[in-house]
Amino acid sequence: MTASKLQRDGKAGVRFFWQQMLIVAFITVLGGMQSAAASVDKLASYEEMLALTSQLAALKPQIPASSAAALEYETAANRYLDLSLAMGGDDPGQILHAVVPSEVRPSTPKPNGALPLGCNTTTSTFQNATAVAIPTGPGVVTSTIVVAGASPYLLDLNLTTQIQHTFAGDLDVTLTSPAGTVVTLTSDNGAGNDDVFNGTVWDDSANPAGQVPYTTNNGLVTDHAYVNLTTATPLVPEEAMGAFIGEDPNGTWTLTLSDDAAGDGGNLNGWSLDVTTLPNAPITATVPTQTQSTPVAIPTGPGVVTSTIVVAGAGTAILDVNATTFIQHTFAADLDVTLTSPAGTVVTLTSDNGAGNDNVFNGTVWDDSANPAGQVPYTTNNGLVTDHAYVNLTLASPLVPEEAMAAFIGEDPNGTWTLTISDDVAGDGGNLASWSLDIDTFTCASADLSITKTDGVSNPAAGQSVIYTITASNAGPTAAAASTVTDAFPPPLAACAWTCAGAGGGTCSAAGAGNINDIVNLPSGGSITYTATCAIPASTAAGTVIANTATVTAPVGIPDPVPGNNSATDTDTTVVSADLAISKTDGVTSVVAGDVLT
């Protein structure tokens, strides 16, 4: 492209030139990428890329008025791209993301896993259609949405933005909840492309695939193959919106946009929130920490290794997953690491982060909620893997992974989890010493079952019968079909027979003999009552204690929040039996007045 063309078309010409250079770079560089990677001086490359970053930032505002600045900018950008390709896609200056055309694929979101019994969610949409100008930077603007009338437990949040802005890489965007939690949607992504976030749906579950090794990973805001004037959607945000889970969504949500460089501006034309809630906090259970302690060598790249953990005996629906990695590796940016669930969902923990520092992930806890602050404008944002200020031989922990682990919500955690590590450049290797998973599961079902039992006496006599009244009830809130009522009548009770009747929708077996072991239906507010008659043999010794216990048990998958009232015992003590009788006669049936009766 000629200088006159660049000067005439300004930034459009710059972008076209850059795109042509990108294609040329892949034709000339990608084929020999492995040999280039084998010989690249990574530390020197990083230093040069950071120097180029400063040069590009200084040149960018000059482009509209200077063809010389435009040519100098494109020369520097092309050099930066060549270095990025040789480094396996590293982008330390967050200037652009190298695109491999063969890796580009549609971004297809997945729904959350099937929710447990009783988890009745409600999704409501709230929006702000008032336009807000985004001035040529540096500058910060905000827009708010007030959520009202939603249920108090946030389970999932999606966001849609209508942002028209030239040079998307200028934008840093955060979302702040009413509780004050700040989540970064994007910081310096999208390179020089225009309007790529104009209609973007931000969704933690937008990219269920994307297994390493990759250079391009559509659906992940940090690794998407952006195209000028083409909306990138859906996208997983740079920081997990899973950090909002459990908060009350009612109140003011704030979208903050920081334009961190001069020369480009735009408009926020509107935005909206899709809020999915539960009426109450779910019942959670913590799975014991699952650890894989068998070391795995990470060879000098390019190469891929895996390690697995098998989870068994956990609940059936994931609410939260944290992972811990002990990775010893020089030049952390060589590493691309993913976690794959038993259902096959792939989440990227890190790709090309950590620069040339060693062992920064040696003990890292990966947690969607690791960075509740971090409001723009910022340059570094500790706790966010993509923006952390790494220090050589210093553990970076905890970190929000590059892709949200909230993508696992609702999935069954039982089965094989796989940690995949790709070392994408030669010259450095390492070791995965161990890794572990901390998983919380949840259910929303809850049935407060209870049972009472009495025979109305304390000291029955041998030779008599006792009549027990046994009532099982469900105080809710969840129906408990297929609950079980049991009563093993202890000796000396004999010849027991019983009948049963329900109330409030409760059902049970109509009658039976011997012990009770009955599958019953107890809707919320329902009950069933057994009337059981048992004989006490005449031979029973006085002072015999008869302790008779009845129990009600909820079906599998429906916890009982008050288990202490799930059994009831009636205790009696027998007394001596005496067959007393009396008779009386005077020997006559009629008398005359004046007779004496004896």
Side-chain angles (χ1 to χ4, degrees):
M1 177 174 289
T2 66
S4 59
K5 173 67 173 173
L6 281 170
Q7 188 173 27
R8 184 172 64 252
D9 291 352
K11 185 167 178 270
V14 170
R15 183 181 295 107
F16 178 79
F17 183 84
W18 196 344
Q19 291 168 344
Q20 300 311 301
M21 291 302 99
L22 182 63
I23 295 171
V24 173
F26 275 101
I27 294 172
T28 59
V29 177
L30 188 58
M33 189 172 175
Q34 290 189 2
S35 60
S39 60
V40 67
D41 184 335
K42 288 185 285 190
L43 287 175
S45 295
Y46 254 74
E47 291 176 1
E48 183 178 353
M49 292 172 83
L50 292 174
L52 288 166
T53 299
S54 298
Q55 181 182 355
L56 291 166
L59 289 169
K60 179 176 169 289
Q62 304 173 38
I63 290 173
S66 170
S67 60
L71 283 171
E72 189 176 353
Y73 186 98
E74 290 307 328
T75 300
N78 189 49
R79 175 58 180 165
Y80 188 98
L81 174 62
D82 288 345
L83 292 168
S84 178
L85 287 170
M87 295 286 288
D90 292 12
D91 188 11
Q94 294 182 305
I95 301 300
L96 62 96
H97 186 77
V99 178
V100 176
S102 63
E103 294 181 359
V104 176
R105 55 177 172 73
S107 173
T108 305
K110 76 171 186 67
N112 289 335
L115 296 181
L117 180 66
C119 290
N120 299 315
T121 60
T122 301
T123 300
S124 301
T125 299
F126 302 86
Q127 60 184 346
N128 184 337
T130 302
V132 175
I134 305 171
T136 298
V140 176
V141 296
T142 63
S143 178
T144 60
I145 287 175
V146 176
V147 171
S151 294
Y153 188 96
L154 180 64
L155 184 65
D156 186 42
L157 184 78
N158 291 344
L159 167 74
T160 303
T161 55
Q162 304 289 341
I163 300 173
Q164 290 180 306
H165 192 282
T166 54
F167 214 99
D170 287 356
L171 291 173
D172 300 336
V173 184
T174 64
L175 178 66
T176 306
S177 71
T181 301
V182 182
V183 161
T184 296
L185 303 181
T186 180
S187 64
D188 305 311
N189 297 296
N193 298 289
D194 300 345
D195 299 346
V196 293
F197 304 134
N198 189 25
T200 298
V201 176
W202 304 89
D203 180 353
D204 281 350
S205 300
N207 182 44
Q211 184 59 276
V212 292
Y214 64 69
T215 301
T216 301
N217 188 6
N218 270 16
L220 198 57
V221 66
T222 51
D223 290 318
H224 191 84
Y226 294 95
V227 177
N228 188 46
L229 295 172
T230 301
T231 299
T233 191
L235 292 178
V236 180
E238 193 166 347
E239 185 172 4
M241 290 193 289
F244 298 133
I245 292 173
E247 294 185 4
D248 186 339
N250 293 289
T252 301
W253 292 79
T254 303
L255 192 72
T256 303
L257 301 94
S258 171
D259 186 316
D260 59 13
D264 290 89
N267 287 284
L268 170 66
N269 293 321
W271 62 293
S272 62
L273 294 172
D274 293 318
V275 179
T276 299
T277 56
L278 292 169
N280 304 103
I283 299 166
T284 61
T286 298
V287 180
T289 299
Q290 308 289 299
T291 301
Q292 174 57 268
S293 299
T294 302
V296 175
I298 304 171
T300 297
V304 177
V305 295
T306 62
S307 178
T308 60
I309 288 176
V310 177
V311 174
T316 59
I318 294 170
L319 180 64
D320 184 47
V321 177
N322 293 343
T324 302
T325 56
F326 286 88
I327 300 174
Q328 295 173 322
H329 193 283
T330 54
F331 214 97
D334 287 358
L335 295 173
D336 299 335
V337 184
T338 63
L339 178 64
T340 306
S341 70
T345 300
V346 182
V347 162
T348 296
L349 302 184
T350 180
S351 65
D352 305 310
N353 298 296
N357 298 291
D358 302 342
N359 299 343
V360 294
F361 304 134
N362 189 26
T364 298
V365 175
W366 305 90
D367 179 356
D368 281 355
S369 302
N371 183 44
Q375 184 59 275
V376 291
Y378 62 70
T379 302
T380 59
N381 186 8
N382 275 9
L384 196 58
V385 66
T386 51
D387 289 318
H388 191 84
Y390 293 95
V391 178
N392 190 44
L393 295 172
T394 301
L395 172 64
S397 183
L399 293 177
V400 180
E402 194 164 348
E403 185 172 3
M405 288 197 284
F408 298 133
I409 285 181
E411 294 185 2
D412 188 336
N414 295 287
T416 301
W417 292 77
T418 303
L419 191 73
T420 303
I421 301 175
S422 171
D423 185 317
D424 57 15
V425 184
D428 290 87
N431 181 64
L432 171 65
S434 67
W435 65 290
S436 62
L437 292 173
D438 290 290
I439 300 172
D440 287 340
T441 60
F442 75 112
T443 180
C444 299
S446 173
D448 181 11
L449 304 186
S450 62
I451 196 165
T452 61
K453 178 173 186 177
T454 184
D455 60 4
V457 297
S458 299
N459 300 110
Q464 295 182 348
S465 293
V466 289
I467 301 174
Y468 292 101
T469 300
I470 305 163
T471 300
S473 305
N474 179 9
T478 304
S483 295
T484 304
V485 174
T486 58
D487 192 338
F489 297 107
L493 298 178
C496 295
W498 49 267
T499 60
C500 185
T507 58
C508 51
S509 298
N515 295 332
I516 299 174
N517 188 358
D518 197 17
I519 303 300
V520 304
N521 174 39
L522 286 171
S524 179
S527 66
I528 53 172
T529 298
Y530 296 87
T531 301
T533 302
C534 296
I536 302 176
S539 59
T540 302
T544 299
V545 176
I546 305 174
N548 187 5
T549 300
T551 301
V552 61
T553 305
V556 174
I558 301 181
D560 191 327
V562 190
N565 59 9
N566 287 14
S567 64
T569 300
D570 181 275
T571 302
D572 296 332
T573 302
T574 60
V575 295
V576 175
S577 175
D579 187 9
L580 301 180
I582 190 170
S583 62
K584 180 177 181 179
T585 183
D586 60 3
V588 297
T589 58
S590 61
V591 294
V592 176
D595 288 349
V596 177
L597 298 177
T598 59

